[in-house]
Structure formats: structure tokens, C-alpha cells
Amino acid sequence: MPAPGRSIETKSNPIRFHAVTLATFFGASAAPTPLYRIYQENFAVSPVLITVIFAVYAFALLLALLIAGSISDHLGRKPVIFSALVLEIIAMALFAAASGPAWLIAARIMQGLATGIAGASIGAALVDVDKAKGQLVNSIAPLSGMAIGAFGTSALIQYGPFPLHLVYAILLIAFVIQAGAIWATSETASTRPGVWASLKPRVAIPPQVRRPLALVTPINIANWTLGGFYLSLVPSLVVSTTGSHAPLTGGSVVTALMVSGAVAVYLRRAKSANGNLAFGTMATTLGVLTVVAGVHLASVPLLLLGTLLTGVGFGTNFLGAMGTIMPLAKPDERAELLSAFYIQSYLAFSLPAILAGFLAKSLGYQLTTDIYATAIILVTWIGFLGLRADRAKAERIAA
């Protein structure tokens, strides 16, 4: 029997606890996705407002990363993770009590702040414990958590009672348990002064990274635009184009993106950045075209197959983009470069989703999908061909 106050796992091996906590945060972030269609019906919410509710989460998360991303370096990991858990508990309570769009927006803002703080502090704690395993968990846990969150919520909606409340009650209990359990873990970082100075956002792109970042930017923007489209509108798209109102159908399509993305990250983590971008571009292109075919043929199997392929491209292109720029930065330049990369990524994650809401309202889901598919494929290939041309030029100069 363990000694009082001592966790069975957390003291000796906190990686599993932190991995589960990180996955739970991101699982909760995907929980509203299968519910957006029900919110539309119950609260008379338009597709535009649904995408705004989705986007404010990304804006809040980005703000938290920029302002509080390094606060755990000064205050310690445990109190900062605990604070994020408290904010997330409040967010779950707001979701459970929601009676209209204003409640949902408030809940998503609170959730974005909590997830941003948790992502930075838990991610740092994982690397503190084991650098190699920590980096792998940081790559896989968010996608795995989102997959479980989307699928689990869909199952609860379809088979459980209280569809607008049950998932949030379960998550609230999980976060309360984790908020208590965090104090049984070992602190992985020491405190140091300078906490107020750390709250000033620092964004910089080192000179040696500017051209590679510019070249990989189209692929990164297309990648995150794709993710934002899936997490904001795809459940409603599935209903509109296939006629299937089963929550598990739309939830399974979203889950397929996250599952295949996580698997791709794990399997291709040791591949070169150039190889990942080439592979990811091909997978994204084939996947998106298959999704479009599924939309026009009203075929759920085609939508799932296309999404699995698209998810492989999503995960691999993310690896390739990070692998293109991060190794070029010096150790003291990485945090500021990562901030710049986050700004680009989360703006691409959120702003095009709002545009998609306007298009869906005026043009319908099918035509909106066609427009987005065309844009994503074109922008991805512009980036990929630009990178190839730049490498060819560098090889000619070297020769």
C-alpha cells in the first residue's frame, strides 16, 4: 500500500499522469464539435456564429500561449497546471449551464485560456522528466485526446441521456480528480524570479529561419485551415450532404482525422522534414479529393476513407513544417520562433473557419467544401513546389 500523499505512479513516473491530463484537456476541446449541430437546432445558431464560437477558443488559446507560455518556468509546473485545471473546471460548468450562444462563447474563451496554459506547462513538465518521451507525448497526446473527445461525445449524444450536459459533467469530474492528483506529483522545475517580465509576449524570427519559414508557410496555413474546417463544420456537413443524423457518423469522421494524424506523427517522427512534406502533400491531396467525392456521392465510407488519408497528410505536414524551421534556431531563439509559428498556425486554424461559416450560410455546405478543398490543395502545392525549387537552386549553387 502506498504511503499517504504518495501517488502509485506520479512520484516515480509522472509521464503517464501528465500525458493523460494533457490528452484530457485536448479531448475536452474537441467535445463541443459533435454538439455544434445540436446547438444550431436548440439555440437557433447560424453556421457563422458556430464558427465564431469555435474560433474564440483558438484566439484565447493563442493569447494564453503568448502571455503565460513560460510562466511555469518561474512559478513551477504544479501550481500553473493546477490553475489551468481550475479554469477548465469553470469552462465545463459554463458549458453544462449554457442556455444560449453567449454562454458557449464564454465557455470557449475560458477553455482556450485553460488549454493554452496547460499545453505549455504540461508540455514543459513532460520534457523535464524525459526529453525524448516528453516530446513524443507532446506530439501525440493532443491529437489522441481530440480523437477520444470527439468520438466519446458522439457516443454519449447518441446513446446516453442529457446530450447537452452529460459529457461536460463527466469531464468536470475528471478535471476535479486531476486537480487533486496534481499535488501528489513531484515538481519538475525550480522557481526563479522574473515572472512579471515573462508575461510580455516575445515573438521573433531569426534571420536564418526567415526564408525557410516563408517557404513552408503555405503548407502550414493550408494544414491548419483544414483542421479548423473539420472541427467547426464537418458534423453539420455530414448531416447536410449524407442525410445521416446519427451523431456517431459525424463524430467518427472528425475522429478519423485525429487518429490518422496521431498515427502518422508516431510512424514518421524519424523521417526528414523534406520527406515528410512530400509525403504529406500527396496524402493531403488524395485525401481531400476523396472527401469531395464522398460529399458529392453522399457516401459516408468515402468520407471516412478520405478523412483517414487527409489526417495522415495533416500529421505529416505538421511534422515537416516543424522539422523545417526548429532545427535552424539556436536554443535561445526557439521559444520566440515557436511563438511566431503558433500565431501563424492558430490564425489559420480560426479565421478561415469563420469565412467557411459565411460561405456555408450563403452557398451551402457542399459548395463550401468544394471551395475549401480547391484552396487547400492549391496552397499546399504552391508551398511544396516552392520548397522544391528552392532546394534545387541551392543544389545548383553548391555544385
Side-chain angles (χ1 to χ4, degrees):
M1 183 175 179
R6 183 181 177 89
S7 168
I8 293 172
E9 287 191 6
T10 51
K11 284 288 187 180
S12 59
N13 181 17
I15 284 184
R16 188 174 300 178
F17 173 80
H18 288 314
V20 171
T21 304
L22 184 62
T24 308
F25 268 99
F26 280 92
S29 77
T33 296
L35 287 163
Y36 285 147
R37 181 179 60 83
I38 301 177
Y39 289 138
Q40 281 185 272
E41 296 171 354
N42 285 24
F43 301 154
V45 179
S46 70
V48 177
L49 190 50
I50 284 294
T51 54
V52 170
I53 292 167
F54 166 78
V56 294
Y57 162 81
F59 293 144
L61 188 151
L62 177 59
L63 181 66
L65 283 173
L66 292 177
I67 293 178
S70 62
I71 195 171
S72 69
D73 293 337
H74 302 272
L75 300 180
R77 311 296 186 214
K78 288 168 62 173
V80 176
I81 295 171
F82 176 76
S83 300
L85 285 162
V86 171
L87 291 176
E88 188 75 355
I89 289 167
I90 295 171
M92 295 302 102
L94 289 172
F95 275 123
S99 57
W103 286 80
L104 298 176
I105 289 173
R108 285 296 270 176
I109 290 173
M110 189 68 69
Q111 186 178 49
L113 293 172
T115 307
I117 295 170
S121 53
I122 297 174
L126 284 163
V127 174
D128 291 340
V129 177
D130 188 311
K131 185 175 182 180
K133 289 182 180 178
Q135 289 175 342
L136 182 60
V137 171
N138 278 325
S139 298
I140 294 175
L143 289 172
S144 301
M146 290 168 74
I148 295 169
F151 188 81
T153 302
S154 301
L156 289 173
I157 295 170
Q158 187 159 328
Y159 298 114
F162 314 113
L164 294 180
H165 306 95
L166 182 58
V167 65
Y168 300 123
I170 293 172
L171 286 167
L172 190 151
I173 292 170
F175 286 121
V176 168
I177 293 171
Q178 289 170 352
I182 186 65
W183 298 109
T185 67
S186 300
E187 178 58 72
T188 62
S190 57
T191 59
R192 56 187 173 90
V195 62
W196 296 113
S198 76
L199 299 179
K200 180 181 178 182
R202 292 176 175 82
V203 180
I205 303 171
Q208 72 274 18
V209 184
R210 288 172 189 167
R211 183 170 178 80
L213 177 60
L215 289 167
V216 83
T217 286
I219 296 177
N220 191 51
I221 288 176
N223 211 41
W224 285 87
T225 297
L226 175 68
F229 182 79
Y230 260 83
L231 286 169
S232 59
L233 289 179
V234 159
S236 297
L237 165 70
V238 171
V239 173
S240 174
T241 57
T242 69
S244 174
H245 287 262
L248 265 180
T249 304
S252 295
V253 173
V254 175
T255 301
L257 183 82
M258 303 305 162
V259 169
S260 56
V263 171
V265 167
Y266 179 77
L267 294 178
R268 295 194 61 86
R269 65 192 185 281
K271 304 293 183 182
S272 70
N274 291 338
N276 278 331
L277 291 172
F279 185 87
T281 297
M282 301 298 178
T284 296
T285 302
L286 182 58
V288 169
L289 290 175
T290 306
V291 167
V292 170
V295 167
H296 283 272
L297 296 173
S299 170
V300 173
L302 270 181
L303 282 172
L304 284 169
L305 175 61
T307 299
L308 287 170
L309 292 170
T310 302
V312 170
F314 178 82
T316 310
N317 278 334
F318 172 75
L319 275 180
M322 290 288 285
T324 298
I325 61 171
M326 294 309 295
L328 300 177
K330 300 173 185 176
D332 60 345
E333 297 172 333
R334 289 173 189 159
E336 294 178 353
L337 173 60
L338 201 57
S339 295
F341 186 76
Y342 280 140
I343 290 173
Q344 181 188 95
S345 301
Y346 279 100
L347 289 179
F349 190 59
S350 52
L351 292 179
I354 298 175
L355 174 60
F358 279 103
L359 292 176
K361 183 179 180 180
S362 57
L363 303 177
Y365 287 101
Q366 187 176 99
L367 187 53
T368 299
T369 303
D370 293 342
I371 293 170
Y372 260 67
T374 302
I376 286 168
I377 291 173
L378 284 177
V379 173
T380 299
W381 275 95
I382 287 170
F384 177 64
L385 293 176
L387 283 164
R388 280 189 61 180
D390 187 71
R391 285 198 302 270
K393 180 180 178 181
E395 289 170 0
R396 287 196 300 270
I397 293 173

